Amino acid sequence: MSDKLLLTTDMVASNDILNPFIHHLELTTTYDKIRTAVFTIIILPIRLAIISGVLILAWILACIGLYGLTEEDLTKKPITGWRRLVRKWICILGRSAYTAGGMHIEVKGRQVPRAEAPILVIAPHSTFLDAVIVYVTGFPSIIVRRESGMNPWFGKILNFTQPIYVGRDDPDSRQKTIQDIIDRTTSKEDWAQVLIFPEGTCTNRSCLITFKPGAFYPGVPVQPVLIRYPNKLDTVTWTWDGPGALKLLWLTLTRAHSKCEIEFLPVYTPNEEEKKDPKLFAHNVRNVMAKALGIPTSDYTYEDCRLVKKAKELQLFQNSQLIHTQKLRIRLGITRRKVELQYLTANQNIFKPDQRQFLNKQQFVEFLGIHDHGDHELEELFQIYSIHENGDTFIDLQKYLLAVLLIEKSTSRNDMVHLAFGWLSNSVDKKWFQYIMSLVHGMSYDHAETIFNEITLKEKSTIKYDEYLTHTRMYPETIEDNNNQSTVYIHKKDN
């Protein structure tokens, strides 16, 4: 079952069921409030003390297990001998910490050995408490940020799983991570299984969002694993629009008990077509897991979540040109490499009149540093900023770069206008003003021209930011209620 939803900023506030990234949690009954207060005073301190003691013991064991090992040792060969016994004891302690917190863990199905499925695919991912799966599955290798591994406390336990490290600041990190997963899962050595949450972010479990293909590039059998929290009051779900981690932990630890169900599904072995197409492999595994969970699938990604948050922050609707541009850049993987921002850093004078550049499609592809395979997203991005002259089509690089700059570096609509004026030497002519207003406020060019003429009194060819700001403060209605208009695309070359 596929449920392709349109996530818009107004849904964030008004239609929660359509948004997998939102979770509301409040104690509504007097009984719940009184019980939580009593448990906070009496039970919570005891549970925290026991959990802390168990985790400290697990940390000590991890330090012992890591003694004498370098990072290279951890990434090049699997641990053996007595260290594996230490790993089993850490798993016992980890599960004990959850039990001490009132969490009852029920396991269904059977976990197969690495020889049958080198990769464990876990979904849905909805909370930091999902870490319990690491202890239930015998301490498999996980994917972690290198910064997390450097943490002096939890970093020790993380490192003892022999994780695959991801470098946040490394532009080639994605490719390296994929290669590391392939090397680890196809190795003849006796590595632990690799555990991956393919959704890449937490949702409210209302659907399964797009699975990232990283777990499916090796083309090896995977075992899907489901996590459920069938509790009357959901105190575990941790999404970007919802209660914070501390509140969730407090409310979970002050419940009499909570339940977590972990179900191992049969191994999914890819066919030849799926081995060649990781996205198809991921899509089909997601369908199997969604069917077992009885929930729909949705084509959301973590990047969509961030995009919606950005749209809300900038008060932009989903049909705005800036949001549409960002969505296409995300799909093409451009945002991770920050190609345009690096170019702007090296070319501070790019917005001067004599620096104007027009690129054909091939030149635009080379500028972005991507391979042109006829991608629909690439063609659409090119057409948004295209101009036509003498039968040929070009992209106005200045206008494209300004749009990228506004969506990447601004925190509000006023900030976008200020930023645009600043990069244009704080003085813009009518054509630039029309373009800025269309991007930021969804304003028609005719309306923008009217405002420009009102500010200049038709006596000047340019305006400064202070003049624009003074005018909008005096007449705020001139820029309001324009952002619901259709996307404005530029199709003619300005002289």
Side-chain angles (χ1 to χ4, degrees):
M1 180 179 180
S2 177
D3 184 16
K4 191 169 183 177
L5 308 173
L6 176 62
L7 186 63
T8 58
T9 52
D10 51 335
M11 287 181 185
V12 171
S14 64
N15 206 347
D16 300 353
I17 194 170
L18 297 179
N19 188 342
F21 304 115
I22 193 168
H23 175 58
H24 292 316
L25 172 61
E26 296 296 338
L27 300 177
T28 56
T29 68
T30 302
Y31 173 73
D32 277 336
K33 293 177 180 178
I34 293 175
R35 183 176 60 178
T36 299
V38 172
F39 269 59
T40 299
I41 298 171
I42 301 175
I43 304 299
L44 181 60
I46 298 174
R47 284 180 169 176
L48 286 177
I50 296 173
I51 292 171
S52 298
V54 169
L55 291 179
I56 289 173
L57 184 55
W59 176 81
I60 293 172
L61 288 178
C63 290
I64 294 172
L66 290 171
Y67 181 76
L69 295 178
T70 64
E71 182 177 316
E72 184 177 0
D73 293 330
L74 292 171
T75 57
K76 296 299 182 183
K77 56 185 178 181
I79 62 174
T80 58
W82 63 270
R83 299 182 198 274
R84 293 201 171 189
L85 181 60
V86 173
R87 188 164 62 185
K88 290 181 180 179
W89 276 105
I90 291 178
C91 288
I92 293 173
L93 289 171
R95 291 190 64 163
S96 299
Y98 279 84
T99 302
M103 182 75 74
H104 173 67
I105 303 168
E106 181 180 348
V107 179
K108 301 178 180 180
R110 180 182 71 90
Q111 179 183 357
V112 302
R114 178 183 184 275
E116 295 182 42
I119 297 177
L120 299 172
V121 175
I122 318 298
H125 186 23
S126 61
T127 171
F128 52 87
L129 294 175
D130 287 342
V132 67
I133 194 67
V134 175
Y135 305 112
V136 171
T137 53
F139 237 43
S141 298
I142 59 178
I143 314 298
V144 300
R145 293 184 293 111
R146 188 168 296 277
E147 294 86 350
S148 298
M150 296 170 63
N151 184 288
W153 296 104
F154 288 105
K156 295 293 184 181
I157 299 177
L158 289 175
N159 288 334
F160 200 45
T161 69
Q162 295 192 278
I164 294 173
Y165 297 103
V166 178
R168 176 188 291 178
D169 299 324
D170 185 355
D172 299 321
S173 175
R174 181 172 178 270
Q175 287 72 24
K176 291 179 180 178
T177 301
I178 291 172
Q179 189 58 52
D180 287 341
I181 294 173
I182 293 173
D183 293 342
R184 186 74 65 90
T185 56
T186 58
S187 172
K188 300 298 183 182
E189 297 189 74
D190 189 22
W191 286 98
Q193 290 171 297
V194 174
L195 184 150
I196 297 177
F197 291 93
E199 291 177 293
T201 190
C202 291
T203 70
N204 57 21
R205 298 189 299 280
S206 61
C207 63
L208 288 186
I209 64 173
T210 299
F211 279 14
K212 292 179 177 294
F216 306 94
Y217 275 102
V220 298
V222 303
Q223 182 171 27
V225 186
L226 310 178
I227 301 184
R228 302 182 180 93
Y229 295 91
N231 301 302
K232 183 178 179 181
L233 181 64
D234 183 0
T235 62
V236 301
T237 298
W238 187 39
T239 61
W240 67 271
D241 192 349
L246 289 178
K247 180 177 180 179
L248 292 174
L249 190 61
W250 165 56
L251 290 176
T252 300
L253 292 177
T254 52
R255 303 292 294 173
H257 65 273
S258 300
K259 188 176 181 180
C260 173
E261 292 181 355
I262 296 173
E263 181 179 0
F264 292 93
L265 298 182
V267 173
Y268 189 105
T269 302
N271 57 35
E272 291 303 317
E273 186 178 4
E274 290 169 330
K275 289 179 181 179
K276 296 176 182 178
D277 187 349
K279 291 184 178 180
L280 175 64
F281 189 4
H283 176 80
N284 291 341
V285 171
R286 181 180 66 154
N287 286 344
V288 168
M289 299 179 76
K291 183 177 180 180
L293 288 163
I295 60 176
T297 62
S298 174
D299 293 333
Y300 293 139
T301 65
Y302 174 58
E303 287 76 16
D304 291 328
C305 166
R306 295 177 61 187
L307 186 60
V308 169
K309 185 176 182 180
K310 188 73 173 180
K312 184 178 181 181
E313 182 181 77
L314 298 177
Q315 297 179 291
L316 296 173
F317 279 75
Q318 293 296 303
N319 65 350
S320 76
Q321 183 171 330
L322 287 176
I323 295 300
H324 192 56
T325 296
Q326 187 72 347
K327 185 180 298 183
L328 294 172
R329 293 177 65 242
I330 289 170
R331 296 287 187 268
L332 291 167
I334 304 170
T335 53
R336 291 191 301 269
R337 295 182 289 110
K338 303 185 183 301
V339 175
E340 302 95 337
L341 297 181
Q342 291 175 5
Y343 182 83
L344 286 166
T345 300
N347 298 270
Q348 297 284 333
N349 298 322
I350 184 62
F351 293 109
K352 289 188 175 181
D354 60 349
Q355 296 293 314
R356 201 163 189 186
Q357 299 181 47
F358 300 96
L359 308 180
N360 60 32
K361 185 178 178 181
Q362 184 57 41
Q363 291 170 327
F364 185 54
V365 169
E366 293 173 358
F367 171 78
L368 296 178
I370 60 179
H371 299 291
D372 181 12
H373 296 298
D375 290 333
H376 171 73
E377 290 86 357
L378 177 61
E379 179 64 30
E380 193 170 353
L381 182 62
F382 182 76
Q383 289 300 327
I384 290 177
Y385 298 93
S386 66
I387 55 176
H388 305 286
E389 186 178 70
N390 300 326
D392 295 322
T393 305
F394 302 91
I395 192 170
D396 188 328
L397 186 60
Q398 283 186 332
K399 289 188 173 180
Y400 170 72
L401 289 175
L402 184 63
V404 171
L405 187 67
L406 297 188
I407 194 67
E408 288 279 1
K409 293 294 186 180
S410 303
T411 57
S412 66
R413 276 202 269 177
N414 288 336
D415 189 31
M416 284 192 283
V417 177
H418 191 196
L419 185 64
F421 271 81
W423 275 86
L424 294 166
S425 301
N426 199 39
S427 181
V428 301
D429 59 20
K430 181 169 65 177
K431 291 187 179 298
W432 271 118
F433 183 76
Q434 289 173 311
Y435 180 65
I436 294 168
M437 292 297 102
S438 71
L439 286 181
V440 177
H441 295 291
M443 191 179 295
S444 70
Y445 272 42
D446 289 341
H447 188 178
E449 182 178 9
T450 299
I451 295 176
F452 185 88
N453 290 335
E454 289 175 354
I455 295 174
T456 62
L457 301 176
K458 296 184 178 182
E459 296 177 355
K460 298 191 301 179
S461 60
T462 63
I463 60 173
K464 298 183 180 298
Y465 177 72
D466 289 343
E467 295 172 322
Y468 161 80
L469 194 60
T470 299
H471 180 82
T472 55
R473 285 173 176 171
M474 292 177 62
Y475 309 102
E477 68 278 2
T478 60
I479 62 169
E480 292 177 353
D481 300 323
N482 291 287
N483 205 31
N484 59 351
Q485 298 182 17
S486 300
T487 302
V488 179
Y489 293 164
I490 313 302
H491 292 290
K492 65 178 182 178
K493 185 172 180 180
D494 298 327
N495 296 322

